[in-house]
Amino acid sequence: INYADINKQNEISQTDNDISSNFHGNSLSNQVLFRHSFPKRGRSISLGISNNLSDKIGDNYLTAINTYFKSTTVTDSLRQLSNQKNHNNQYSINLVYTEPVGKKGQLQVNYNPSFSNNNADQETYNYDNGSSKYTLLDTSLSNKFNNTYNTQNTGITFRRGDRNNMISAGVSYQYSELKSEQVFPQVSHIDNTYSNFLANAFARFKLSLKSNLD
């Protein structure tokens, strides 16, 4: 029995795709940290600022040949060009203050806002045989939107112990804003806010010279 011939007879359709992509972009990340210790042991303040920036631009070509096996064989083809542009920008600030409590205790207060913005633009064109160019805009595969997501986070943590044995617990409050605007092919707008309380806990115990329990 020639199973290859049987499978060939049972075929419903066949698709051959040829994809060619050409993209270029850049990314940049940086961070600045300032830390100051006061004369009182355990009292300190630090400020960190970080930024991430990236861009991506390119073209994607698709050629597809579809064959349908019915009573008669039918073949059609699809040729598309997608132009894509993406831009991302994110930066955050982290402010931390620590205050000693007793001999082995420490109180930490932090404030951490962050801001991010994302822009995406994709235009997809079908091939026009009359002009021999990619000029027929496909709105179902094209879109353009802008997103912003901002958060404000502040919290307090109490820690007690030393480098060998330590426990900590804290709570923080986070407020977030999400704004999304689609400008093509349809206009839509999202504007949501979120509020959350977040708890955290950590413990470390030194069991021996070479082992710890976290």
Side-chain angles (χ1 to χ4, degrees):
I1 299 176
N2 192 331
Y3 291 100
D5 292 338
I6 295 177
N7 292 333
K8 188 69 175 179
Q9 295 174 1
N10 293 331
E11 281 186 349
I12 299 176
S13 64
Q14 176 181 309
T15 301
D16 295 322
N17 293 327
D18 183 14
I19 300 175
S20 176
S21 301
N22 181 24
F23 287 91
H24 66 275
N26 58 76
S27 62
L28 175 66
S29 298
N30 57 76
Q31 183 176 6
V32 177
L33 177 62
F34 169 79
R35 181 182 291 117
H36 175 74
S37 297
F38 294 92
K40 186 176 181 179
R41 182 179 179 85
R43 178 182 294 172
S44 67
I45 189 171
S46 64
L47 175 65
I49 302 175
S50 62
N51 175 255
N52 294 288
L53 176 68
S54 66
D55 289 286
K56 183 180 179 181
I57 301 175
D59 301 320
N60 186 75
Y61 290 88
L62 167 65
T63 300
I65 299 177
N66 305 306
T67 304
Y68 304 95
F69 303 102
K70 300 179 181 178
S71 55
T72 58
T73 302
V74 179
T75 301
D76 65 20
S77 62
L78 175 67
R79 298 179 66 182
Q80 286 183 335
L81 164 64
S82 294
N83 298 321
Q84 300 180 25
K85 298 178 182 179
N86 292 280
H87 173 77
N88 297 281
N89 186 20
Q90 179 180 10
Y91 62 95
S92 64
I93 300 172
N94 190 28
L95 179 64
V96 180
Y97 175 79
T98 62
E99 178 70 22
V101 179
K103 293 183 177 180
K104 292 187 176 183
Q106 186 181 68
L107 192 66
Q108 175 179 297
V109 180
N110 67 280
Y111 173 58
N112 176 219
S114 65
F115 311 90
S116 64
N117 177 257
N118 170 260
N119 300 321
D121 187 353
Q122 176 174 300
E123 296 179 349
T124 301
Y125 296 90
N126 292 319
Y127 188 77
D128 183 11
N129 293 319
S131 63
S132 300
K133 296 180 180 179
Y134 293 91
T135 57
L136 303 176
L137 180 64
D138 189 340
T139 57
S140 64
L141 297 176
S142 302
N143 60 75
K144 183 176 182 180
F145 63 88
N146 303 317
N147 283 335
T148 59
Y149 183 65
N150 303 325
T151 64
Q152 305 283 337
N153 187 301
T154 184
I156 185 170
T157 301
F158 177 75
R159 180 174 59 188
R160 182 174 176 81
D162 52 31
R163 67 175 63 183
N164 294 326
N165 300 285
M166 183 267 292
I167 59 172
S168 68
V171 64
S172 62
Y173 172 74
Q174 179 172 289
Y175 176 80
S176 306
E177 293 180 326
L178 171 63
K179 294 183 179 181
S180 179
E181 182 178 6
Q182 182 177 1
V183 297
F184 185 84
Q186 296 178 343
V187 177
S188 63
H189 185 73
I190 296 175
D191 190 350
N192 293 335
T193 60
Y194 310 92
S195 297
N196 297 284
F197 283 96
L198 309 173
N200 65 83
F202 178 79
R204 171 182 294 165
F205 302 101
K206 187 174 183 63
L207 303 179
S208 65
L209 292 176
K210 296 183 178 181
S211 61
N212 293 324
L213 177 63
D214 294 343

